[in-house]
Amino acid sequence: MPRIAAPTIAAHREATWQRLREGFIRAVHEEGYGALTLAAIARHAGIARNTIYNYAPTKDALLVAVVKAEAAPIVSALVEACAAVEDPEDRLALLVRRQLAALAPAGG
């Protein structure tokens, strides 16, 4: 039985998911997505490879889950900011400005 490294199972699962997300992102940066294996992801995350299957059945499914998790706060903030703007043109301008600011390199 694996050790639970948090006060609750839910907290342990969330901490493991966070390590898995961070490990996945590091692994992609270091090894490239095409060459990536679940074993490499597990190594970067500091977890057992079979633990990954509790979160995603494949490398592709894990990619989707990580992208959704990373994008959720950004999308939520955009929706909230846009909801405060009544004019559709102003709302679109806000959306474009925020996305450009997030995606454009600093100073470029």
Side-chain angles (χ1 to χ4, degrees), residues 33-97:
Y33 184 76
L36 203 55
T37 64
L38 292 179
I41 295 166
R43 188 175 59 255
H44 282 275
I47 61 174
R49 184 177 56 86
N50 64 335
T51 300
I52 294 173
Y53 297 110
N54 295 327
Y55 299 87
T58 66
K59 176 177 81 167
D60 293 338
L62 182 58
L63 170 65
V64 170
V66 169
V67 169
K68 281 183 178 180
E70 295 296 316
I74 297 165
V75 171
S76 181
L78 282 173
V79 168
E80 185 177 330
C82 286
V85 178
E86 285 190 38
D87 181 61
E89 287 183 20
D90 291 342
R91 190 178 310 133
L92 179 60
L94 172 68
L95 181 65
V96 170
R97 279 194 310 273

